[in-house]
Amino acid sequence: MSTELGQPRPASAPAGAFPPAGDPYPPVAGPYPAGGADPTAEYPFRRLYRNRGNRIVAGVAAGIAEHLRLPVFAVRIAFVALLAANGLGALLYVAFWAVLPVAPTGRPVRRRPVGQVLAYVALGTGVVLLVFQVKPFGLDATVVGFVALAALGAGIIWHQADPQRRLRFRGAAAPAAAPAPATVAVPSGVAAARVVEAETEGERRWLVLRFIGGGILIIVSIIGLLALMTPFGELDLRATVTGVIFALLALAGVVLVLAPLLWRVFGQLREERIARIREQERAEVAAVVHDQVLHTLALIQRSATDHTSVVRLARGQERTLRNWLYKPTSSPTERFAAALEQVAAEVEDSYAITVETVLVGDAPHDDHVAALVASTREALVNAARHAKVGTVSLYAEVEEDEFKVYVRDRGTGFDLSTVDGDRHGVRGSIIGRMQRHGGVAEVRTAPGEGTEVELTMPRAKVGRGERP
Amino acid sequence: MTTGETAEEAARRLRVFLVDDHAMFRAGVRAELGAFVDVVGEAGTVPAAIAAIVALQPDVVLLDVHMPDGGGRAVLEALRRSQPQVRFLALSVSDAAEDVIGLIRAGARGYVTKTISPEQLADAIRRVADDDAVFSPRLAGFVLDAFAARPDVPVADPELDQLTNREREVLRLLARGYAYKEIAKELFISIKTVETHVSNVLRKLQMSNRYELSRWAADRRLV
């Protein structure tokens, strides 16, 4: 794929021309430091975190164990054992879960080890059953079970409402709400965005599932508790159902009252977000215009009498803007075309000439390419110094089996036969270097006829695209 | 390059029309070209340009690529059918391939960058008026790239979708900064033959359905 032809840019209208800032969704990282950036830097003492890297349920036990320097299994056993005290273990766990932040260190979230999970579930069930047998506080173990169930459900929902997670969720969802800025990203950015989107698509589904699951757990346990603790000793199903229906109706009324408000808040949030993205883009354009263009214009005004430096400044600025607007960026150490462009830019800057660069095709960089680029640079410098012209043409073509580079000027030219050892530039730096790398350099010139340097370098026999 | 053209110039002063949304640039070109051609009018917007070109019937229109309301392309599309005798030469600061190719495929006879010297611009105008094509070095490079032999791209119509070796040679020399006269000397052919080759390349560029060309068009929603 030739980069010179221009990658297919995202075609969406207003923002299409702006290059990426690197992070496709910077506002997420902006005002709210997601994940509490690095509190450890601010607090030298250790804080209690959840350790999701070593979790059975949510990493609470692991976090506590790490903090207290205790073995993890001891903490877990303690939680399970506390289940016996009216489900205190579960309640404690949920409380910790709700309160503790996730450890900010970039430890990967591991999958839960199934064996251990089963072991602890079995242990917990055992404890609950035991309590059921013994009834230490005269309470029915079923009550304990329902309390634990309710606690678990509440924990799940509370956990979902965790602001960090909400933020992550919102951050990923917002680009979809603001389509124009989302297409800012160049191809690589777009790919990254897709990955993020795919991830959060799954996460969003999980979110819904967890909400529903948590809700069901709570409802089931509340109904269960009601049924058990009903003061009349027996379950009045109709009364319960009526009560639930009234509760739901009341809830619906509250929602109805609050809905417009909530909707407005959401709308405002979304608008704010879009505005922030716009602002970010505007700032980026302003940065280029301010840091470069205005600066260059100021310099041009100051040196208005010096024709050479005005040309040099204008040309340099033009090149920068062009690159910023049109070119997909690639590193001069990786691609032949990028390396040549860099060399041309250097010569333009150093000698205040214009190098009309035309590149056809591209190839990866290697030692031979480096030699070719260095020879090209030498040829350009020679033309800039000796030809006494304002414009030099540089043409390079990558063919199936060789590179061709032509450097041409319409300048004074010289008599090749009179050039000997002392003109090191041509003999050593161009012809010699090309020969050492298996290439050929040919110089065609005559006094008054201009000069053309033709450089030919065979391409390495390694197949295309096999080099990194 | 400009030697021996005064006689020709005296015989027929070309009537040129300028379309560009930058008044300063129009004034500059007008001043520069005054010595070589008659600048009969100028316009800064697409509708004004269309009306004035129909009324004035210039020989050559110098057309800016980027303007509000659709740019040079809109002008070309409006006038191409009804005014076939008017020739268009695209003049732009943009080096982006899709802009260049887009205008050529819409019917411009050539493309030059705004940094071109007045003499060269006058030369290009004359060439376009004679129904020849004008390629900037960079445009020649684009064309070579677009028509590069790629084994994986099937060629539907060899007549249109491939360049002959000679055409390739001519384009290479153009890309290397050679003038038509120098190309003729280098290849031992007449200037007229060079012009024919370049015109053929222009025709292929306009008519070919090669993937690269249609892709550019698709990217700019120009299909």
Side-chain angles (χ1 to χ4, degrees):
Chain A
M1 179 102 205
S2 132
T3 52
E4 177 65 20
L5 287 177
Q7 309 269 350
R9 273 189 278 139
S12 111
F18 303 123
D23 184 354
Y25 313 120
V28 181
Y32 312 102
D38 189 14
T40 40
E42 289 169 45
Y43 306 102
F45 54 88
R46 298 190 313 148
R47 284 186 60 183
L48 185 53
Y49 291 113
R50 278 196 290 131
N51 177 2
R52 307 224 303 151
N54 186 15
R55 60 177 182 168
I56 293 291
V57 180
V60 170
I64 292 174
E66 196 179 328
H67 187 72
L68 300 176
R69 297 174 207 265
L70 288 171
V72 184
F73 76 88
V75 180
R76 282 182 187 144
I77 296 287
F79 271 115
V80 172
L82 280 173
L83 270 181
N86 275 353
L88 182 61
L91 286 174
L92 270 181
Y93 194 95
V94 169
F96 275 119
W97 189 359
V99 171
L100 293 189
V102 180
T105 47
R107 266 179 296 199
V109 178
R110 270 200 341 215
R111 297 220 75 84
R112 299 175 175 88
V114 181
Q116 282 194 55
V117 172
L118 284 179
Y120 284 109
V121 166
L123 198 60
T125 320
V127 168
V128 171
L129 284 178
L130 190 70
V131 170
F132 180 68
Q133 289 303 95
V134 185
K135 295 187 185 171
F137 306 103
L139 259 173
D140 199 326
T142 333
V143 176
V144 175
F146 279 128
V147 168
L149 215 58
L152 192 66
I156 290 174
I157 289 185
W158 182 280
H159 182 59
Q160 289 316 319
D162 180 346
Q164 280 168 27
R165 184 178 283 262
R166 275 208 314 268
L167 202 66
R168 279 215 316 268
F169 168 64
R170 260 210 350 237
T183 47
V184 167
V186 281
S188 63
V190 168
R194 284 210 189 106
V195 172
V196 171
E197 242 157 61
E199 265 179 23
T200 49
E201 195 56 47
E203 197 161 279
R204 232 173 295 170
R205 217 170 300 142
W206 260 114
L207 195 79
V208 174
L209 281 182
R210 287 182 194 202
F211 257 115
I212 294 173
I216 289 175
L217 281 181
I218 291 180
I219 290 171
V220 164
S221 49
I222 286 176
I223 292 177
L225 279 176
L226 273 178
L228 284 174
M229 305 188 75
T230 176
F232 312 108
E234 62 186 66
L235 176 62
D236 184 350
L237 191 65
R238 185 176 297 172
T240 312
V241 169
T242 320
V244 168
I245 287 175
F246 272 112
L248 285 178
L249 276 178
L251 197 64
V254 171
V255 167
L256 209 61
V257 169
L258 287 182
L261 185 72
L262 284 176
W263 184 248
R264 216 170 47 225
V265 169
F266 272 124
Q268 271 171 3
L269 277 176
R270 204 168 53 227
E271 270 163 28
E272 242 169 57
R273 203 189 149 68
I274 292 172
R276 213 160 48 225
I277 291 173
R278 292 235 171 88
E279 176 59 22
Q280 181 112 5
E281 264 162 17
R282 202 199 58 77
E284 200 181 297
V285 175
V288 170
V289 170
H290 183 266
D291 295 355
Q292 301 182 5
V293 180
L294 291 183
H295 195 192
T296 307
L297 287 176
L299 282 174
I300 285 178
Q301 285 170 32
R302 284 171 62 123
S303 49
T305 49
D306 182 356
H307 173 73
T308 320
S309 49
V310 167
V311 169
R312 184 194 322 221
L313 285 166
R315 181 72 184 163
Q317 183 58 61
E318 183 194 346
R319 203 171 47 231
T320 319
L321 274 181
R322 263 185 208 294
N323 274 333
W324 188 68
L325 285 172
Y326 299 122
K327 291 275 171 61
T329 45
S330 66
S331 159
T333 54
E334 284 166 6
R335 307 297 297 179
F336 172 62
L340 272 190
E341 269 170 8
Q342 191 194 35
V343 159
E346 281 169 16
V347 174
E348 280 189 349
D349 269 351
S350 320
Y351 297 94
I353 58 160
T354 303
V355 178
E356 274 206 353
T357 311
V358 179
L359 305 174
V360 175
D362 200 355
H365 201 271
D366 62 20
D367 286 353
H368 296 297
V369 169
L372 179 61
V373 170
S375 305
T376 307
R377 185 192 155 84
E378 207 57 47
L380 284 172
V381 168
N382 275 337
R385 283 164 68 168
H386 305 298
K388 299 181 179 65
V389 284
T391 308
V392 179
S393 298
L394 166 63
Y395 174 70
E397 187 172 357
V398 180
E399 290 176 64
E400 202 68 35
D401 47 358
E402 62 182 14
F403 297 96
K404 282 266 189 198
V405 176
Y406 298 89
V407 175
R408 180 166 189 271
D409 65 72
R410 294 167 194 272
T412 53
F414 56 96
D415 189 351
L416 253 188
S417 57
T418 63
V419 178
D420 36 38
D422 62 323
R423 283 284 288 275
H424 182 76
V426 175
R427 289 235 184 281
S429 301
I430 302 181
I431 299 176
R433 193 195 313 246
M434 289 300 286
Q435 278 169 353
R436 278 197 299 282
H437 286 85
V440 182
E442 198 186 320
V443 182
R444 282 187 297 255
T445 182
E449 291 280 296
T451 309
E452 182 165 50
V453 179
E454 176 182 345
L455 307 172
T456 311
M457 178 74 80
R459 286 189 71 174
K461 286 291 171 272
V462 188
R464 282 182 184 207
E466 278 179 39
R467 277 157 187 282
Chain B
M1 261 198 307
T2 50
T3 48
E5 277 162 0
T6 23
E8 192 189 323
E9 211 181 287
R12 190 172 72 109
R13 293 270 291 187
L14 288 170
R15 305 173 71 246
V16 174
F17 189 88
L18 297 178
V19 183
D20 195 304
D21 54 334
H22 294 101
M24 229 159 84
F25 183 77
R26 291 201 303 268
V29 172
R30 199 184 251 279
E32 282 176 356
L33 282 182
F36 306 99
V37 297
D38 280 338
V39 179
V40 293
E42 55 185 69
T45 62
V46 172
I50 293 170
I53 291 168
V54 171
L56 290 168
Q57 292 293 316
D59 296 309
V60 175
V61 175
L62 286 185
L63 203 53
D64 187 22
V65 176
H66 288 285
M67 284 193 301
D69 323 316
R73 229 190 122 76
V75 179
L76 262 172
E77 260 154 19
L79 297 173
R80 183 97 188 286
R81 303 259 175 274
S82 58
Q83 315 286 326
Q85 72 288 353
V86 180
R87 312 264 174 255
F88 292 89
L89 175 60
L91 185 63
S92 165
V93 290
S94 164
D95 270 346
E98 52 268 41
D99 290 340
V100 182
I101 305 280
L103 239 78
I104 296 284
R105 279 173 82 84
R109 294 291 307 173
Y111 170 88
V112 290
T113 44
K114 281 183 175 175
T115 47
I116 191 171
S117 73
E119 294 81 16
Q120 282 176 317
L121 182 55
D123 208 38
I125 291 171
R126 219 166 282 129
R127 224 174 270 288
V128 168
D130 288 344
D131 220 4
D132 288 321
V134 173
F135 280 28
S136 69
R138 207 171 257 267
L139 176 56
F142 286 150
V143 178
L144 278 171
D145 220 338
F147 282 88
R150 292 197 175 88
D152 49 325
V153 178
V155 174
D157 182 356
E159 168 62 22
L160 281 180
D161 295 347
Q162 281 177 336
L163 299 179
T164 65
N165 284 337
R166 205 49 163 194
E167 285 162 357
R168 225 172 265 280
E169 278 177 279
V170 170
L171 280 180
R172 271 196 194 110
L173 288 168
L174 273 175
R176 278 158 65 182
Y178 279 62
Y180 283 36
K181 203 168 62 182
E182 293 164 322
I183 296 174
K185 198 175 142 207
E186 181 82 14
L187 296 178
F188 304 106
I189 52 180
S190 71
I191 295 182
K192 197 68 224 161
T193 313
V194 176
E195 286 169 348
T196 310
H197 284 309
V198 179
S199 292
N200 284 341
V201 174
L202 183 83
R203 189 174 54 86
K204 289 180 182 180
L205 194 53
Q206 288 174 338
M207 315 283 286
S208 167
N209 285 318
R210 269 192 75 108
Y211 168 71
E212 287 80 5
L213 300 174
S214 37
R215 197 195 66 204
W216 278 326
D219 281 352
R220 306 289 287 185
R221 280 172 287 195
L222 303 176
V223 184

